[in-house]
Amino acid sequence: MEKIKILFTEDEIKARIKEIAEELNKKYEGEEVTFVCTLKGAVFFFCDLVKEFKGDARIEFLRVSSYEGESSTGKINLKFPLKAESIYGKNVVLVEDIVDTGYTLKYIRNYVKEMNPKSYVDVSLLDKKERRKVEIDPDFSGFVIDDLFVIGYGLDYDQKYRNLPYIGVVEK
Ligand code: IMP
Ligand code: MG
């Protein structure tokens, strides 16, 4: 097994999620929110974030893929769609694991907005700002990171390492 360098511990992730949740709790006080998880990478972040939400929450799931190995192809495949009626007229918070080139978030944002939600924001746990190929930023992000390939806490390298409770970098 490869050596893994820890970038964010479980406690650091939890603390940052509480801060993001506080902002969402303020923003949506008294309103219902539909949280949309982008599978598979965002799944642990999604669960931890939604549990911190104090209002009424619905949950929905979406799966797209673009990645093969370590490089983004820019071509997005919709593998598991949303139902339009679960988005129409709702306050939607789209939850992503990481924004890298930005192709995926751009695709998802358009896709969800076309279903006419009442409101829309996206939250990404990680943001590799310097890797961007299209001009897009998540409305909320947990941590801005350097150009590193990260794994753990839902993030994979060829489907491995998702179960690690922290976020790390594989040392080669
Ligand atoms: P983008 O379309 O290039 O922004 O890529 C976004 C998707 O690629 C994310 O939702 C992740 O699934 C995956 N991805 C990008 N960077 C990493 C990484 O460092 N580790 C694991 N997956 C990544
Ligand atoms: Mg992803």
Side-chain angles (χ1 to χ4, degrees):
M1 189 157 169
E2 293 94 336
K3 253 190 96 181
I4 291 163
K5 196 179 135 216
I6 297 180
L7 207 57
F8 301 109
T9 65
E10 215 176 338
D11 286 346
E12 286 170 330
I13 298 167
K14 247 186 227 156
R16 185 68 188 111
I17 289 175
K18 277 203 191 304
E19 290 174 354
I20 298 169
E22 241 170 72
E23 292 192 55
L24 295 177
N25 280 323
K26 257 187 250 154
K27 184 173 166 64
Y28 296 107
E29 214 185 327
E31 290 190 73
E32 184 189 88
V33 171
T34 297
F35 288 88
V36 177
C37 177
T38 61
L39 297 169
K40 305 174 188 169
V43 67
F44 299 145
F45 174 46
F46 179 81
C47 293
D48 289 343
L49 182 68
V50 175
K51 283 186 285 179
E52 295 292 333
F53 187 68
K54 304 276 191 272
D56 290 334
R58 290 171 177 256
I59 58 172
E60 297 293 338
F61 298 86
L62 163 74
R63 185 166 170 218
V64 295
S65 76
S66 69
Y67 244 72
E68 266 151 43
E70 272 191 39
S71 59
S72 183
T73 57
K75 256 198 292 167
I76 314 297
N77 295 309
L78 181 60
K79 298 236 162 132
F80 184 69
L82 289 165
K83 288 206 170 79
E85 65 263 31
S86 63
I87 300 300
Y88 178 79
K90 308 286 189 196
N91 293 312
V92 171
V93 175
L94 185 283
V95 182
E96 247 295 31
D97 51 358
I98 186 165
V99 182
D100 182 20
T101 61
Y103 288 126
T104 305
L105 185 63
K106 191 176 176 202
Y107 175 92
I108 294 174
R109 199 183 267 185
N110 286 338
Y111 173 72
V112 175
K113 283 187 169 178
E114 274 174 11
M115 295 178 184
N116 293 312
K118 178 181 174 193
S119 68
Y120 171 91
V121 296
D122 35 56
V123 185
S124 182
L125 178 60
L126 300 166
D127 181 357
K128 280 201 244 181
K129 257 193 203 325
E130 63 185 74
R131 292 252 313 157
R132 216 69 100 241
K133 296 237 172 76
V134 284
E135 216 177 291
I136 192 164
D137 281 317
D139 298 304
F140 296 89
S141 79
F143 305 100
V144 173
I145 59 167
D146 294 336
D147 182 5
L148 296 166
F149 196 85
V150 292
I151 46 91
Y153 195 66
L155 291 143
D156 70 306
Y157 175 63
D158 279 342
Q159 303 302 323
K160 252 172 76 182
Y161 302 117
R162 291 194 197 272
N163 55 316
L164 300 177
Y166 50 82
I167 293 167
V169 181
V170 179
E171 294 192 322
K172 292 188 182 150

